[in-house]
Amino acid sequence: MVIPIYSKKYLAKTISEIKSAQYSGKKVKLRGWISKKRSLKQKIFLVLRDSTGHIQTVTSSDSKAWKSAEEITTESSCFIEGVVKKDPRAPDGYELIVSKILIVGLAETWPIARDTSSEFLRDIRHLSIRDPKQQAILKIRSGVISGFHEYFRSRGYHEHQSPSFTPTPGESGAETFEVKYFGKKAYLTQTWQLYAEMMLPVLEKIYTMAPSFRADKSMTSRHLTEYWHAEAETAWQEFPELLQTIEECVRYICSKISKEYASEMTLLGSDVKYFSKLPKFKKLKYRAAVEELKKAGFKIKFGDDLGTTEEKYLVDKRKIPLFITHYPTSLKAFYMKRDEKDPDQVLASDLLIPGIGELVGSSERSLDFEDVKKRLRSAGEDPKKYEFYFDSSRYGKIPHSGFGLGIERLVMWLTGAESVKECIAFPRTPTRFTP
Ligand code: 4AD
């Protein structure tokens, strides 16, 4: 059968479009997939889904569409024609009284049952992402990404792309993926940062949205091996202004999502009101954080890193995003600026969010290259490999700062998802790179 889908006759509306008084009582054509089917003797209820929403359709046994309604299976694609009816008993206040069904792709028996395990759902992620809650999460993800672009573009930032194959690891404390590069060894990028710093004399205010790769064998709900990294680097920017930018940016995105994706957030049970106007973020120095943790019974001393449990304790009790600042130099990356008042600590900050922990890593950058080289050496790195980075700063170095934010962690927070694995369509983890 040739389906005349491109003929004017089959020009379809979207589901969200027709759920309005304007279409009530009117005949419309819709297209999409059948997400649920329930058959009674005289009636068949099909829930039709497209990317904009769901609508319940009703086919009566005396309708010409009855045979197709009987034949059609869950997840089949189809065109459905019918009259929109306002009905307060229908799930969204509207339903469609069906007069015609054209099956486009008849689906085989759908393999997802109610009690399917989450591991199996990940094995068939290409199908399980059709779930309405997954759909809502992925829409919010798309909104978060556009929010990041909007925030920086509207403030005069340029978008810059750094390479994904790099000659050096870019980040301390994270494992790199090594790849063969025509007989040489290259790394998959962990951060755009070193290249971003070299771009400042060209564009001054820059941001990016790109995948970063981490080879850590972390099997937690907040780690992926490939994640989307929103990063910004700003010329002439010092530490206090950096924290201000991070707070403003996160606040902008959360408020945008709560306005534009309120129905998706409601479906997911997340708190639209809280995100629409986040309370002012708190700040706590690392030293004070360690004291607070000790008092609470944690076995921690100055110089120890804060793990997920410690981070969550600090931020969850406040219920407000929390900047931990002034970490010990020994804990943080080679490129971070030492605090002039206390060189054993750096002008760096991690922003923690409730329920998750670290969302953002940030710092003012060091301009003392002899010190940076020393720190690289003590991290087991060869400073000669970073010569391009030092060379760029020989010609007009300036104070500057930057940060990196994990998109999936922000989406996890906004949606209340169980894991970052739910916040990207096809997650990559140490044990999974399919589908
Ligand atoms: O703290 P990180 O490692 O910072 C950097 O890479 C800096 N060079 C960024 C910069 O200043 N331009 O990573 C930044 C953020 C983390 O706070 C976290 O949200 C996210 O990236 N992240 C991960 N997200 C998912 N899976 C992982 N394995 C992640 N590792 C880091």
Side-chain angles (χ1 to χ4, degrees):
M1 174 182 47
V2 179
I3 300 154
I5 50 176
Y6 297 112
S7 77
K8 257 203 171 147
K9 202 171 154 223
Y10 277 93
L11 266 188
K13 303 265 174 239
T14 65
I15 292 174
S16 69
E17 224 178 330
I18 58 107
K19 280 185 190 171
S20 73
Q22 185 198 342
Y23 282 102
S24 186
K26 298 249 166 68
K27 198 169 198 182
V28 296
K29 293 178 189 105
L30 296 172
R31 61 187 170 194
W33 293 260
I34 300 301
S35 63
K36 266 187 209 146
K37 177 172 180 177
R38 188 161 59 93
S39 304
L40 305 178
K41 230 178 176 185
Q42 306 291 328
K43 277 184 178 160
I44 296 178
F45 295 94
L46 300 169
V47 176
L48 183 74
R49 179 191 82 240
D50 68 9
S51 64
T52 70
H54 293 73
I55 190 163
Q56 175 167 278
T57 74
V58 190
T59 311
S60 305
S61 56
D62 57 0
S63 157
K64 274 194 202 143
W66 181 252
K67 205 167 152 290
S68 303
E70 277 188 316
E71 188 192 348
I72 205 161
T73 49
T74 309
E75 290 306 323
S76 293
S77 49
C78 58
F79 281 81
I80 296 190
E81 199 172 302
V83 173
V84 181
K85 187 177 157 212
K86 203 164 190 284
D87 184 346
R89 288 164 309 164
D92 285 320
Y94 289 92
E95 61 181 18
L96 193 78
I97 309 302
V98 178
S99 52
K100 205 173 185 180
I101 297 176
L102 185 63
I103 301 175
V104 178
L106 188 67
E108 294 177 21
T109 307
W110 186 239
I112 300 176
R114 264 174 199 275
D115 52 357
T116 318
S117 78
S118 50
E119 211 36 45
F120 177 67
L121 289 178
R122 285 194 185 126
D123 287 341
I124 52 158
R125 181 77 175 155
H126 50 286
L127 300 180
S128 60
I129 37 175
R130 297 187 189 189
D131 174 74
K133 287 193 173 169
Q134 287 299 319
Q135 188 188 42
I137 293 173
L138 294 173
K139 278 189 190 173
I140 289 175
R141 176 190 170 93
S142 155
V144 164
I145 290 177
S146 78
F148 200 82
H149 284 285
E150 283 163 22
Y151 178 83
F152 280 103
R153 293 232 178 220
S154 64
R155 283 158 182 81
Y157 278 68
H158 301 280
E159 188 176 354
H160 156 72
Q161 291 85 22
S162 288
S164 296
F165 290 121
T166 62
T168 60
E171 196 53 43
S172 305
E175 297 292 323
T176 39
F177 282 103
E178 286 180 13
V179 285
K180 281 191 207 137
Y181 199 82
F182 303 103
K184 294 196 174 127
K185 195 160 73 178
Y187 302 96
L188 289 184
T189 185
Q190 296 172 308
T191 167
W192 80 327
Q193 189 187 319
L194 301 187
Y195 290 91
E197 290 186 56
M198 297 185 289
M199 281 301 290
L200 293 184
V202 187
L203 298 175
E204 290 190 68
K205 293 161 75 177
I206 52 177
Y207 78 96
T208 203
M209 177 69 64
S212 275
F213 303 90
R214 305 279 168 116
D216 309 70
K217 283 212 179 93
S218 306
M219 305 292 290
T220 74
S221 62
R222 60 181 208 172
H223 286 91
L224 294 164
T225 50
E226 176 180 352
Y227 71 95
W228 278 72
H229 205 169
E231 298 183 87
E233 197 72 28
T234 312
W236 316 105
Q237 187 183 61
E238 294 182 329
F239 193 54
E241 201 191 330
L242 168 70
L243 300 192
Q244 209 177 314
T245 305
I246 297 169
E247 176 163 351
E248 246 185 57
C249 174
V250 171
R251 196 178 275 290
Y252 174 83
I253 294 172
C254 291
S255 147
K256 171 193 165 77
I257 297 299
S258 64
K259 265 193 226 118
E260 295 175 16
Y261 296 86
S263 62
E264 283 79 8
M265 288 177 90
T266 307
L267 173 73
L268 295 164
S270 90
D271 190 343
V272 182
K273 200 160 159 238
Y274 172 77
F275 287 107
S276 68
K277 202 167 186 303
L278 289 173
K280 194 168 163 33
F281 296 4
K282 301 262 183 208
K283 291 192 184 86
L284 184 69
K285 289 193 172 155
Y286 167 89
R287 195 178 287 278
V290 169
E291 288 313 311
E292 193 175 317
L293 288 165
K294 272 196 213 155
K295 271 196 201 133
F298 284 85
K299 287 202 169 55
I300 187 167
K301 56 181 185 325
F302 187 89
D304 290 347
D305 208 354
L306 306 182
T308 312
T309 326
E310 288 83 5
E311 287 183 352
K312 278 202 196 158
Y313 171 81
L314 293 167
V315 68
D316 287 358
K317 68 188 260 206
R318 290 173 168 83
K319 298 192 175 73
I320 293 174
L322 171 68
F323 285 108
I324 305 286
T325 65
H326 301 84
Y327 283 86
T329 311
S330 58
L331 275 185
K332 287 290 183 185
F334 58 89
Y335 52 73
M336 296 182 174
K337 184 177 174 167
R338 287 183 194 264
D339 183 2
E340 275 156 24
K341 290 188 212 126
D342 177 357
D344 288 336
Q345 59 189 24
V346 278
L347 297 181
S349 172
D350 286 354
L351 176 66
L352 314 183
I353 46 172
I356 295 171
E358 183 188 333
L359 171 70
V360 176
S362 71
S363 75
E364 188 173 334
R365 315 309 191 190
S366 175
L367 301 176
D368 177 351
F369 293 119
E370 284 320 307
D371 183 49
V372 172
K373 285 180 189 171
K374 214 166 71 195
R375 284 156 70 187
L376 270 171
R377 269 186 227 106
S378 65
E381 287 284 332
D382 179 4
K384 280 205 195 91
K385 288 196 194 154
Y386 292 77
E387 203 37 51
F388 59 94
Y389 175 62
F390 300 122
D391 196 36
S392 166
S393 299
R394 279 188 195 108
Y395 305 96
K397 64 182 174 187
I398 46 159
H400 61 287
S401 305
F403 75 90
L405 173 153
I407 289 293
E408 291 76 17
R409 292 191 188 179
L410 183 51
V411 175
M412 183 176 165
W413 187 39
L414 279 159
T415 59
E418 265 174 31
S419 162
V420 284
K421 295 181 205 75
E422 313 297 317
C423 302
I424 183 164
F426 298 103
R428 297 292 177 250
T429 67
T431 53
R432 182 180 293 288
F433 59 92
T434 58

